[in-house]
């Protein structure tokens, strides 16, 4: 099974840029790249910050664009999103309590899409009501599960980012720990960085978004860091006993060389180009 993980597309008014980059144009470039190499994906998930300012027009444009996209798509919301504006365009994604929390079954796992957004603030929250929803979903099915969310559910040890992480992360990890044998992977966004690790023994991963990029500048303790690293999306492969996660830097514009045979007998010290 193959899955596309995308995050932090940050759609804006047409022509508006973030860090000198056009989010709508880059999102289109990502979709084109995905269909070229991964048209056989079973699902694409975008883990939040769909709109930069939560404008309804951004969600309307996104819905129109995804309606014609041949790969099924599921959405989470993030700190830049407006839950009310989002649900006015995607009412079918309203879950219990008005949160954007849903379930989707795939051959490899049951996918759970979590809502970690809290109005008018950048840190994430996962209140008792949402935690109860997740606990019920994990208890009612044998799994395995894949979890998708916007905010990082563990510290990343970059001070400015940790100030806006999931603030209820300890309670979240405690719940995950009770079901860790049936949760195959947790995917998140928010940090605009390639990240990997574990939460209560469950593997987690994240990636840069499709527009602007962060940088792990550990010496900066107050302000978020930005860079001109390439835009990206993720490709995830599932086997019976493994998960493989790639970050595809579709925004890279340099050369890509086809060289170096995997056959050791073809290696030549004098002529091999590396």
């Amino acid at each position: 099974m193959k899955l596309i993980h995308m995050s932090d597309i940050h759609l804006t008014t047409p022509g508006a840029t973030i860090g000198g980059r056009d989010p709508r144009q880059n999102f289109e470039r990502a979709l084109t790249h995905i269909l070229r190499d991964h048209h056989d994906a079973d699902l694409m998930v975008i883990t939040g910050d769909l709109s930069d300012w939560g404008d309804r027009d951004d969600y309307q444009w996104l819905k129109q664009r995804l309606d014609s996209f041949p790969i099924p798509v599921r959405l989470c919301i993030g700190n830049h999103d407006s839950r009310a504006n989002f649900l006015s365009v995607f009412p079918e994604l309203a879950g219990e309590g008005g949160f954007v929390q849903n379930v989707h079954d795939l051959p490899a796992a049951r996918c759970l899409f979590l809502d970690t957004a809290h109005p008018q603030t950048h840190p994430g929250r996962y209140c008792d009501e949402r935690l109860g929803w997740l606990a019920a979903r994990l208890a009612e099915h044998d799994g395995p599960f894949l979890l998708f969310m916007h905010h990082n559910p563990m510290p990343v040890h970059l001070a400015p980012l940790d100030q806006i992480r999931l603030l209820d992360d300890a309670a979240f990890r405690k719940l995950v720990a009770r079901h860790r044998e049936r949760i195959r992977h947790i995917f998140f966004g928010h940090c605009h960085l390639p990240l990997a690790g574990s939460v209560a023994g469950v593997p987690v991963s994240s990636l840069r978004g499709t527009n602007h990029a962060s940088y792990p500048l550990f010496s900066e303790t107050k302000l978020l860091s930005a860079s001109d690293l390439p835009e990206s999306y993720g490709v995830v492969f599932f086997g019976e006993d493994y998960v493989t996660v790639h970050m595809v830097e579709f925004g890279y514009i340099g050369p890509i060389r086809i060289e170096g045979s995997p056959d050791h007998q073809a290696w030549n010290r004098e002529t091999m180009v590396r």
Side-chain angles (χ1 to χ4, degrees):
M1 191 194 87
K2 182 192 291 188
L3 180 147
I4 303 298
H5 177 206
M6 188 182 287
S7 196
D8 297 276
I9 63 178
H10 284 269
L11 298 176
T12 57
T13 302
T17 61
I18 302 173
R21 300 180 182 186
D22 186 327
R24 291 199 185 199
Q25 184 180 77
N26 280 325
F27 180 63
E28 290 280 13
R29 290 174 60 217
L31 296 182
T32 298
H33 200 277
I34 288 165
L35 290 184
R36 187 193 73 185
D37 291 351
H38 306 292
H39 60 275
D40 58 340
D42 296 274
L43 183 70
M44 181 169 81
V45 181
I46 310 178
T47 53
D49 280 0
L50 310 172
S51 168
D52 195 49
W53 287 99
D55 293 339
R56 192 173 190 274
D57 287 348
D58 293 336
Y59 301 125
Q60 289 177 317
W61 182 87
L62 178 63
K63 181 175 178 60
Q64 182 181 31
R65 187 63 187 85
L66 294 181
D67 281 347
S68 62
F69 193 63
I71 300 172
V73 181
R74 293 295 181 271
L75 305 171
C76 299
I77 62 171
N79 51 293
H80 280 256
D81 291 304
S82 162
R83 188 181 290 111
N85 285 345
F86 173 81
L87 289 176
S88 73
V89 177
F90 295 93
E92 69 279 7
L93 296 183
E96 294 178 14
F99 294 110
V100 184
Q101 302 206 122
N102 293 280
V103 178
H104 181 79
D105 286 321
L106 290 173
R110 169 163 283 192
C111 301
L112 303 180
F113 309 104
L114 314 186
D115 182 340
T116 61
H118 191 70
Q120 304 300 312
T121 186
H122 288 305
R125 299 308 302 257
Y126 209 61
C127 60
D128 288 344
E129 185 176 1
R130 283 174 277 189
L131 203 65
W133 178 90
L134 177 58
R137 302 293 79 76
L138 292 171
E140 71 186 6
H141 191 270
D142 292 336
F145 295 95
L146 301 173
L147 273 54
F148 298 86
M149 60 198 299
H150 182 67
H151 289 84
N152 45 306
M154 76 294 192
V156 297
H157 297 276
L158 293 163
L161 279 175
D162 281 341
Q163 291 178 30
I164 59 172
R165 73 182 193 279
L166 183 71
L167 297 183
D168 309 284
D169 56 349
F172 177 82
R173 292 195 298 269
K174 185 176 180 180
L175 175 58
V176 167
R178 296 204 298 266
H179 300 273
R180 60 184 164 210
E181 292 184 0
R182 295 182 296 121
I183 302 174
R184 296 194 72 182
H185 204 89
I186 300 174
F187 300 89
F188 66 95
H190 188 49
C191 298
H192 296 241
L193 290 169
L195 291 162
S198 65
V199 164
V202 176
V204 300
S205 64
S206 189
L207 71 173
R208 289 199 293 273
T210 59
N211 196 67
H212 45 300
S214 296
Y215 188 86
L217 188 63
F218 290 89
S219 59
E220 175 56 55
T221 60
K222 294 183 178 180
L223 300 177
L224 300 170
S225 301
S227 73
D228 293 323
L229 289 165
E231 305 88 347
S232 79
Y233 64 84
V235 181
V236 188
F237 297 87
F238 299 89
E240 288 291 329
D241 56 356
Y242 71 87
V243 177
T244 302
V245 181
H246 289 268
M247 186 178 75
V248 179
E249 296 176 305
F250 72 92
Y252 172 67
I253 58 174
I256 298 175
R257 295 176 291 276
I258 308 300
E259 64 184 35
S261 171
D263 181 2
H264 185 271
Q265 299 303 316
W267 288 13
N268 183 298
R269 185 168 181 167
E270 301 300 326
T271 61
M272 188 176 179
V273 179
R274 284 189 288 180

